[in-house]
Amino acid sequence: MHRFIRQRAIASLISLMLLVVAVFFLSRLTGDPAALYLPVEASEEMRQQFREVHGLNDPVLVQFGRYVSDLAQLNFGDSIRKARPAFEIVIEAFWWTLQLALITMALVTAAAIVLGSLAAFRAGGLFDRLATVSSLIGASAPDFWVAIVAIVVFSVGLGWVPTSGTGTLAHWILPIAVLFIRPFGLIVQVVRGAMITALSSAYVKTARAKGVKSQAIIFVHALRNAMLPVITVIGDQAAALLNGAVVIETIFGFPGVGKLMIDSILQRDFNVVLAAIMVTAMAIFLMNLLIDLAYSLLDPRIRH
Amino acid sequence: MTRFLDVRDLSVDFHTVTGTVHAVRNVSFYLDRGETLAILGESGSGKSVSSSAIMDLIDMPPGKITSGEIWFDGQDLLRMPASARREINGRRIAMIFQDPLSHLNPVYSVGWQIEEALTAHGADRATAKAEALRLVRRVGIPDPETSLQKYPHEFSGGQRQRLMIAMALALRPDLLIADEPTTALDVTVQAEVLALLKELQLETGMGVLIITHDLGVVAEIADRVAVMNGGAVVETGATHEVYRNPQHPYTARLIAAAPGKGEMHPEQPRREPVLSVRKVRKQFGQFTAVEDVSFDLMEGETLAIVGESGSGKSTVAKMLLRLEEPSGGQALWKGRDLFAMPPAELFKLRRDLQMVFQDPTQSLNPRMTVWQLITEAWVIHPEILPRDRWKARVAELLLQVGLKPEMASRYPHQFSGGQRQRIAIARALALEPKLIICDEAVSALDVSVQAQVIALLDDLRKRLGISYVFIAHDLPVVRDFADQVMVMQKGRVVELGPVAQVFDAPRAAYTQRLLAAGLDPDPDVQAERRKARLALA
């Protein structure tokens, strides 16, 4: 197991380094930050000075060398925009995103497993058909549209919840609800499919011949087997949320890492962009590791 | 008088997209305490559906019980609520299945699964744990304490079936239903498992309902037999009586089709071999799968390689076709070493050497028509046949294997298992091979179909002079078809000789054990064998 984790860590480190190289050089192609941060009437001298301060005057390769050596000391550089360490800014934003992602995925997982399992138990029945239709609608609804409609209806129209920002519990309701819909629709479908396969398997027949109760057959015998493909999809969806739900965070003015990245890219705040990418990449790596561990916990055949 | 189990006039339909299938039609049979009834039938005869009805295991829908009563110990099961039937399952009636690997839950330890049989009916964990240990010990699993912690995939096929038996017998049921319990097992293991069932039956006095396609299993274990065909019971009676004096033509046909009764091939004078295998070896890492295998095969001769799972017999076949790279040795095909041949030359030779696999459902591409399957050979080897003669040749090949030329436009799923194996043989013949390697080619087929395919192979041998390497675990089939028999055990050859010598005067102790473990359809012969086996043990 330790060997497995080490191998995974090395593989991830390599891809992380390639990512840093790619993002570093690509972001330099977006243009000169001096043109953005200084007023239009700023003199060439002032611009030159701005570049000097932020180390943008040196050849790109020299900048890259400096960046990598700083990075080796876990120094991600400062944000141009906010004149604060980039890492601090990213961690603050990431904490918001992490909470949002975890709460959403926990709700999605719990709801999808129950609904998908029940739909599979009487596949083809009325409940199954309702579940299938509603989950398909959920899986295919464009979330930016749902978000805007939700704001119009629940915030502007009914006034039940605030339109955007953070501060109270009520601020969380709409973002979570909107983010919930798509992964939920998708995972219900996956759970349903995996459960139908599991429930028609030979070991379920054995359990019935043993006189095991229906609930135990569904939630003990079938579900643990069905969880294997489900976990893969859960991981996938959670990774998408950890990356920052860019559109949703922007619409709801939610100070997460997705919004931070978009803002920083638009502002050519290179250090923040790089730090954000690395932090989310690390988080996704850790989550994939968790998924693999969950796999081996659920299935003894993988453990050996 | 009231019977312990009395199935009366049972009919089961399945409603499918293509229409209603009458899987079981007005079936009646009974079973008394302590008795063993075999339900004998080929695939699709309705034998498994009948037994599933007793345990409420039929999926409804698409299944529907349209008539009948199932009386068990004075109650009609079909009139009981589902919860009451669940109470009976496992406690009073238990079931074991074919293929114990898929019938055990892969993600729970076997200990947990055996305990569940007890806790599902109200036992507490501690009692269940102690009882599971006793059961596992009773069915002869080595190292019972640690075995309980293990998972199904960590056991051999025979051990898994023993564990299934332990689980089924946890609550000392009055009736055990065994659905093809030994079909996937090696012959020696099959004999052990059947013996265990018999022992446990004597201990507990339970009734045993055994579902099987194998006359040998019936002869070994059953007091009475009900023969099913096309969803109906065509004949029922005492095992001995039915075998000696079958009343229904289907029963008579089934008994006549049982392999192992015909004349054995006479020993042939040795001529120049077409295939000469010398000291072949295969190593998988540290594990030696095949060691020091040598044999000669003449034109028009059949060499059978027999052995149990893990004996290395399939690995030998795969090496001959270089589907598996050998670790050492030689295989001289008409004087040239197949193992030393460069790929280009091997490609040309491929058409001489063909293979027919066990499962035609998997070895035929489901998206190709019979025409495409057969003519693909000529697309790859265009020198065999000009395109304008394909049509005539396909028709000829299909007739040769007993199919009709107009079937060429169909897909594999439109054929029965036996027909599919014929297609696979036609495909092999398209290349005009000199040698066909059959890897368990008839094992998955019903007895009557098996006999037809064997007759076809034998006919092709006589007419076209094809040689066969015939890999099989089923000794009676080998006895009817082979000229030479090679017995393998743990990767080594333990005996090689003409068929009559190996079957009538086996030299190796292992061959003797193998033959003694084999099941004969004749109950009298089988009784003799049981004695011989006990003497060997």
Side-chain angles (χ1 to χ4, degrees), chain B residues 429-508:
Chain B
L429 289 176
L431 287 161
E432 296 162 15
K434 308 287 190 298
L435 169 68
I436 297 182
I437 297 172
C438 302
D439 190 359
E440 301 276 9
V442 297
S443 306
L445 306 177
D446 279 329
V447 193
S448 53
V449 184
Q450 202 172 49
Q452 291 164 14
V453 173
I454 289 285
L456 167 66
L457 293 175
D458 208 32
D459 179 54
L460 293 170
R461 181 175 67 98
K462 283 187 198 128
R463 281 196 290 143
L464 308 174
I466 296 172
S467 312
Y468 293 102
V469 171
F470 189 81
I471 291 154
H473 70 279
D474 188 7
L475 295 166
V477 172
V478 167
R479 185 186 174 281
D480 287 355
F481 182 54
D483 297 300
Q484 283 193 85
V485 177
M486 184 165 97
V487 183
M488 289 188 70
Q489 184 193 19
K490 292 175 188 157
R492 289 176 171 274
V493 178
V494 294
E495 183 153 12
L496 172 63
V499 61
Q501 181 248 301
V502 173
F503 274 83
D504 290 342
R507 294 194 192 118

Side-chain angles (χ1 to χ4, degrees), chain B residues 113-159:
Chain B
Q113 294 187 58
I114 296 173
E115 287 159 31
E116 192 198 26
L118 295 142
T119 52
H121 293 282
D124 60 85
R125 272 279 154 200
T127 319
K129 263 193 181 5
E131 191 58 13
L133 186 63
R134 187 193 68 80
L135 287 159
V136 168
R137 195 172 278 142
R138 174 63 195 90
V139 297
I141 297 291
D143 202 358
E145 281 91 357
T146 33
S147 289
L148 287 174
Q149 316 290 323
K150 290 192 190 168
Y151 293 88
H153 71 275
E154 297 174 85
F155 295 90
S156 72
Q159 287 174 332

Side-chain angles (χ1 to χ4, degrees), chain A residues 122-123 199-214 216-217 219-225 228 297-304, chain B residues 52 55-59 86-87 89-91 93-95 97 99 102-108 112-114 116-117 120-121 151 153-154 164 167 179:
Chain A
R122 293 257 182 268
L199 283 170
S200 64
S201 68
Y203 54 81
V204 162
K205 202 171 170 188
T206 309
R208 283 168 64 187
K210 271 155 77 174
V212 178
K213 291 196 176 82
S214 291
I217 287 179
F219 293 108
V220 179
H221 281 273
L223 185 61
R224 184 150 160 199
N225 282 282
L228 298 169
L297 273 181
L298 281 172
D299 192 342
R301 287 166 298 182
I302 296 169
R303 238 174 279 162
H304 293 276
Chain B
S52 297
M55 297 217 77
D56 196 19
L57 295 180
I58 299 174
D59 284 317
R86 189 185 70 70
E87 278 299 314
N89 279 6
R91 186 199 290 275
I93 310 177
M95 189 161 179
F97 302 88
D99 187 14
S102 64
H103 280 90
L104 289 166
N105 197 324
V107 301
Y108 292 101
W112 184 90
Q113 294 187 58
I114 296 173
E116 192 198 26
H121 293 282
Y151 293 88
H153 71 275
E154 297 174 85
M164 284 287 287
M167 192 160 85
D179 189 351

